[in-house]
Amino acid sequence: MTHVGEPGEAIVELNLVIHGSTAPTPPVEALARALRAQALRRVGKRDLALHDEAVARQLSHDPDLLALLAPETRRPGQVAAPRLADLDIQPRSAWNARSPRRSGLDPMGTIRRLTVHHSATAIRSPSRSQAIASIRAIQMGHQKRGFADIGYHYIIDPAGRIWEGRPSQFLGAHVRRANSNNLGVCLLGDLRPRKSGAPSPEQTAALERLLLALMDQHGLTASSVQTHGEVGRGTECPGPFLARHIDDFRARLRSGLALGE
């Protein structure tokens, strides 16, 4: 394991430990999150560090490990849902979205489910311009397949920026035969182990904020959050790293664990 004095490399390696295809034991994950929090603080990402420290506190009672954590995270707390309006979601105009086709846009109705995907496209760069190019390519690909618009309602890039996809008042096209009352959230990247691998810490932190805001807005519970692989059949989406993260997210929601302060 890379020493935390090399924060960039440490974050990458610890990310793989935390989100690996083989789940770490709670003590190992707690240590990995505590170390990743130190590395994140070194590169100025305090909010992400606070999130890791909060999770590490719940996974371990080792006093030596708790001593590594920031003092402000040692207070127990409950899950706090941000408001959707406060998430700085990039509008469709920011990625120069093409106009939807007039046919094929059906009303969403009451939202009862949130489904998490990966784009299965090769992008790891935090570049805004590359994120825009990737989202536009997804929209073009979906429309060539006959979709009215991009299939997902929200997209999260490797830097943690959240982008508006298909307007949420319209039925998406992201889970075959299961799009009704279902918002689609997609992380950019091919998150299978043999491809790009684990999502970035920025992506998973943004994903949790978005899911919490959507759950609060639509009155949903932890069981309403699912992965594509849980809803659809015959798909690897969104890969084992993200699937395990969603399992952990739901477990923390049910236990009332704070996701950060």
Side-chain angles (χ1 to χ4, degrees):
M1 189 176 294
T2 302
H3 191 274
V4 292
E6 304 166 352
E9 294 182 15
I11 290 168
V12 172
E13 291 190 12
L14 292 165
N15 195 30
L16 291 173
V17 173
I18 294 164
H19 301 295
S21 53
T22 300
T25 63
V28 169
E29 181 174 351
L31 176 60
R33 285 187 179 273
L35 293 174
R36 190 172 73 172
Q38 288 189 345
L40 288 166
R41 284 179 178 275
R42 287 174 181 265
V43 296
K45 296 179 178 179
R46 180 176 176 275
D47 289 346
L48 297 176
L50 286 172
H51 170 80
D52 269 351
E53 290 160 353
V55 176
R57 284 200 311 100
Q58 298 294 321
L59 293 172
S60 175
H61 299 290
D62 183 341
D64 292 331
L65 177 60
L66 293 176
L68 294 174
L69 305 179
E72 62 263 39
T73 67
R74 293 182 185 173
R75 299 185 305 274
Q78 299 297 312
V79 172
R83 295 191 312 151
L84 199 61
D86 294 336
L87 294 185
D88 192 26
I89 296 171
Q90 305 297 298
R92 287 171 61 89
S93 59
W95 56 275
N96 195 22
R98 299 169 69 180
S99 297
R101 293 175 177 165
R102 291 182 180 273
S103 61
L105 280 179
D106 298 315
M108 169 66 77
T110 302
I111 293 168
R112 299 192 179 95
R113 182 185 297 170
L114 309 175
T115 299
V116 178
H117 304 257
H118 72 150
S119 66
T121 54
I123 174 173
R124 296 295 288 174
S125 170
S127 162
R128 180 183 179 89
S129 61
Q130 288 195 30
I132 290 171
S134 183
I135 297 168
R136 283 181 55 81
I138 292 170
Q139 184 191 39
M140 292 178 65
H142 284 185
Q143 290 184 320
K144 284 181 180 179
R145 292 168 59 186
F147 298 176
D149 196 359
I150 189 169
Y152 311 113
H153 297 95
Y154 297 95
I155 304 99
I156 302 175
D157 69 26
R161 288 178 289 258
I162 304 172
W163 303 80
E164 179 190 16
R166 183 178 298 212
S168 59
Q169 67 263 35
F170 297 117
L171 208 67
H174 53 99
V175 180
R176 190 175 183 182
R177 298 190 182 95
N179 289 303
S180 297
N181 315 108
N182 186 0
L183 284 177
V185 179
C186 179
L187 272 62
L188 288 183
D190 192 330
L191 303 181
R192 292 171 292 183
R194 63 181 178 274
K195 300 293 183 178
S196 300
S200 70
E202 292 84 355
Q203 279 182 303
T204 52
L207 173 64
E208 293 194 8
R209 289 194 296 271
L210 176 61
L211 292 175
L212 285 171
L214 291 171
M215 290 171 64
D216 183 63
Q217 179 166 306
H218 299 290
L220 304 177
T221 63
S223 60
S224 302
V225 179
Q226 297 175 300
T227 66
H228 186 186
E230 291 173 315
V231 181
R233 294 182 179 180
T235 178
E236 295 182 85
C237 179
F241 301 112
L242 191 49
R244 198 176 70 77
H245 187 87
I246 293 300
D247 281 341
D248 175 67
F249 172 72
R250 289 182 298 219
R252 285 184 278 121
L253 279 176
R254 288 168 179 142
S255 68
L257 168 63
L259 300 178
E261 299 181 2

